[in-house]
Amino acid sequence: MKSIKISEAVVKRLPIYLRFLNELAMKNVLTVSSQDLGQKLNLNPAQIRKDLAYFGEFGKKGIGYDVNYLIEKIRQILKLDRQLPVALVGAGNLGRALCNYNIYLRDQMKIVAIFDVSADKINQTINNMNVQPMEHLAETIRAMKIRIGIITVPAAEAQNVANEFVKAGIEAILNFAPSILKVPPEIRVHHADFTAELQSLAYYLADDSEAQEEH
Amino acid sequence: MKSIKISEAVVKRLPIYLRFLNELAMKNVLTVSSQDLGQKLNLNPAQIRKDLAYFGEFGKKGIGYDVNYLIEKIRQILKLDRQLPVALVGAGNLGRALCNYNIYLRDQMKIVAIFDVSADKINQTINNMNVQPMEHLAETIRAMKIRIGIITVPAAEAQNVANEFVKAGIEAILNFAPSILKVPPEIRVHHADFTAELQSLAYYLADDSEAQEEH
DNA sequence: TAGATTGTTAATCGATTAACAATC
DNA sequence: TAGATTGTTAATCGATTAACAATC
């Protein structure tokens, strides 16, 4: 079928398009041009057209894109048109925050199971879910057909959790721990690394009086 | 002075190098080659050498890089060798989680002030800091010489917060809200967008029986 | 019809990787 | 000295942007 390899850069932009299109739909905007999209998202219109054209001819020449149709198509491409239950390991501050963010994910993609090692976390209730012990991980993942896992444990434990996820048949992992995971090549791992994000932000600060020069 | 433009991709890798070098230093490893680094970080050794060479000659031919010296140098490059106090707006679940993560940032970069609009959040204590009303933002930022701001408010309010930050003289923003911020070009904005991260992750799931085909 | 905008090819730009002389 | 590894140039690869025929 489609044999063209889609680059990661393209895939990462699709959720951005989707989000803005949803905003337009809520305002009852019916069509949008690549020009408009590019303006709002700080992207080149040609890039947006090219990105979308990888997956089909979604627009109308002279008109632009039908907002609702494009939403439907991008949701299909991203596989957001089906149930995608998510498991989370690590019921610390960050883990709890993400569970409470469920509201921001659409109904289809939702954290449905939470795990932790520590006895005092287990059986806590977070957003109507009971925190389960790690021993239940594989069983729950299979029973609930969970395919995506989130890791919010300390860096030192992240690899262990990843191993458990892989053993349990998870296909994709979002890792919030500041550590590089080693997983089989068929498992997809994305990093949400906000300490790295903050540190790279510091690079762009204007030089101040404390700037170090060789001497 | 240095007039070569360093690409964003290079800057984003520096914190990754730094983190692993710190791990090595804790294990009392004295030198490391680009080969070793590449292996552990899943990067091409030539890329690592080239990245570092933009900033100076930090290695020794035939030997590799002195771990502690390279840590020092990268910290200088990223401006992590000085005090970098950070302000956070939005004392919800995520904001609170980040404030408690202060431990993961090094002493130099630390969240030192928290703000929120809602009356029931103000004067709450988070990690020994009092949540302040937005009216104090500009004053506190100037008094504490804060240059970096974190936004953890709902998407609809993010732009307003960014505007306040800019007015108060913030130089760089890390935005956790799922929204595109419009700021003057001299302000650096990074996004920590985990819903987009999760959604793009779904793309890489294997096709299942529910996959939609045109018909 | 005239104006607008797509889909797509070609041109450009930038980032990654390979290769190797220099040298510890 | 021989082996290892850097810094750097050249080659490759991939992503972005420009341009334009097709067409609504």
Side-chain angles (χ1 to χ4, degrees):
Chain A
M1 303 219 192
K2 56 173 150 177
S3 49
I4 325 106
K5 182 78 178 342
I6 309 293
S7 90
E8 192 169 338
V10 173
V11 176
K12 289 242 165 153
R13 281 191 292 268
L14 294 179
I16 311 298
Y17 301 157
L18 183 58
R19 184 138 68 207
F20 183 63
L21 289 165
N22 278 323
E23 283 178 34
L24 290 178
M26 292 217 303
K27 290 182 200 153
N28 297 312
V29 176
L30 295 180
T31 60
V32 67
S33 67
S34 59
Q35 183 92 210
D36 298 339
L37 279 166
Q39 191 121 62
K40 293 293 182 185
L41 302 175
N42 298 328
L43 295 171
N44 184 302
Q47 183 171 62
I48 294 172
R49 292 199 300 279
K50 198 159 199 284
D51 283 354
L52 297 173
Y54 283 117
F55 303 99
E57 303 197 2
F58 301 146
K60 282 207 178 38
K61 291 185 174 72
I63 310 285
Y65 299 90
D66 180 287
V67 171
N68 288 304
Y69 180 70
L70 191 53
I71 287 174
E72 191 191 320
K73 282 298 168 187
I74 295 182
R75 284 170 51 77
Q76 282 174 16
I77 296 163
L78 290 175
K79 304 199 174 77
L80 300 172
D81 59 338
R82 60 202 75 172
Q83 292 299 120
L84 288 178
V86 175
L88 180 143
V89 178
N93 286 306
L94 182 59
R96 284 201 300 275
L98 296 181
C99 292
N100 287 307
Y101 253 60
N102 256 347
I103 206 170
Y104 283 92
L105 306 171
R106 295 285 292 261
D107 291 339
Q108 286 76 1
M109 183 182 266
K110 210 195 293 198
I111 297 169
V112 297
I114 311 170
F115 302 87
D116 204 295
V117 277
S118 87
D120 59 315
K121 299 264 175 56
I122 292 163
N123 283 323
Q124 272 186 12
T125 299
I126 300 173
N127 204 26
N128 295 323
M129 290 172 280
N130 262 13
V131 176
Q132 302 180 52
M134 285 300 285
E135 292 74 38
H136 291 187
L137 186 81
E139 193 190 323
T140 302
I141 282 175
R142 289 201 187 97
M144 300 186 85
K145 296 200 165 74
I146 294 171
R147 305 172 69 186
I148 298 177
I150 299 179
I151 297 179
T152 50
V153 300
E157 292 172 39
Q159 183 63 59
N160 289 336
V161 174
N163 296 346
E164 295 291 323
F165 269 153
V166 171
K167 263 196 281 177
I170 281 280
E171 294 174 54
I173 293 173
L174 180 55
N175 179 27
F176 282 83
S179 64
I180 309 290
L181 300 180
K182 299 280 179 188
V183 296
E186 68 272 17
I187 310 289
R188 182 90 196 171
V189 177
H190 284 189
H191 275 254
D193 192 340
F194 65 84
T195 56
E197 209 64 66
L198 263 180
Q199 291 180 335
S200 66
L201 203 51
Y203 174 82
Y204 297 97
L205 294 174
D207 271 315
D208 57 27
S209 52
E210 286 184 80
Q212 312 284 316
E213 295 284 340
E214 286 319 281
H215 54 164
Chain B
M1 305 215 194
K2 58 174 149 178
S3 50
I4 324 106
K5 184 75 175 347
I6 309 292
S7 90
E8 194 168 337
V10 173
V11 176
K12 290 242 166 153
R13 282 190 293 267
L14 295 178
I16 310 299
Y17 302 156
L18 183 57
R19 186 140 64 209
F20 182 63
L21 290 164
N22 279 323
E23 283 178 32
L24 291 178
M26 291 215 306
K27 290 182 201 152
N28 296 312
V29 176
L30 295 181
T31 60
V32 67
S33 68
S34 59
Q35 184 92 209
D36 298 339
L37 279 167
Q39 192 121 60
K40 293 293 182 183
L41 303 175
N42 298 329
L43 295 171
N44 184 303
Q47 183 170 63
I48 294 173
R49 292 200 299 278
K50 198 160 201 282
D51 283 355
L52 297 173
Y54 282 118
F55 303 99
E57 303 197 1
F58 301 146
K60 283 208 178 34
K61 292 184 174 75
I63 311 282
Y65 299 91
D66 180 287
V67 170
N68 288 305
Y69 180 71
L70 191 52
I71 287 173
E72 191 190 322
K73 282 299 169 186
I74 295 181
R75 285 171 51 77
Q76 282 175 14
I77 295 163
L78 289 174
K79 302 198 176 76
L80 299 172
D81 58 339
R82 62 202 75 174
Q83 292 298 121
L84 288 177
V86 176
L88 180 143
V89 178
N93 286 304
L94 182 60
R96 283 201 301 274
L98 296 182
C99 291
N100 287 307
Y101 253 59
N102 257 347
I103 206 169
Y104 283 93
L105 306 171
R106 294 286 291 262
D107 290 340
Q108 285 77 1
M109 184 183 265
K110 208 194 293 197
I111 297 169
V112 297
I114 311 171
F115 302 87
D116 204 294
V117 278
S118 89
D120 60 315
K121 298 266 175 55
I122 292 161
N123 283 322
Q124 272 187 11
T125 300
I126 300 173
N127 205 24
N128 297 322
M129 289 172 279
N130 261 12
V131 177
Q132 301 180 55
M134 286 299 285
E135 292 73 37
H136 292 187
L137 187 80
E139 194 191 323
T140 302
I141 283 175
R142 290 204 188 95
M144 300 187 85
K145 296 199 164 74
I146 294 171
R147 305 172 69 185
I148 299 178
I150 299 180
I151 298 179
T152 50
V153 300
E157 293 172 38
Q159 183 64 59
N160 289 337
V161 174
N163 296 346
E164 295 291 324
F165 269 153
V166 171
K167 263 196 281 177
I170 280 280
E171 292 173 56
I173 294 173
L174 179 55
N175 179 27
F176 282 83
S179 64
I180 309 290
L181 300 179
K182 299 280 180 190
V183 296
E186 69 273 17
I187 311 289
R188 182 89 194 172
V189 177
H190 285 189
H191 276 255
D193 192 340
F194 65 84
T195 55
E197 210 63 66
L198 263 180
Q199 290 181 336
S200 65
L201 203 52
Y203 173 83
Y204 297 98
L205 295 173
D207 271 316
D208 58 26
S209 52
E210 287 185 77
Q212 312 283 314
E213 296 284 339
E214 284 321 281
H215 54 165

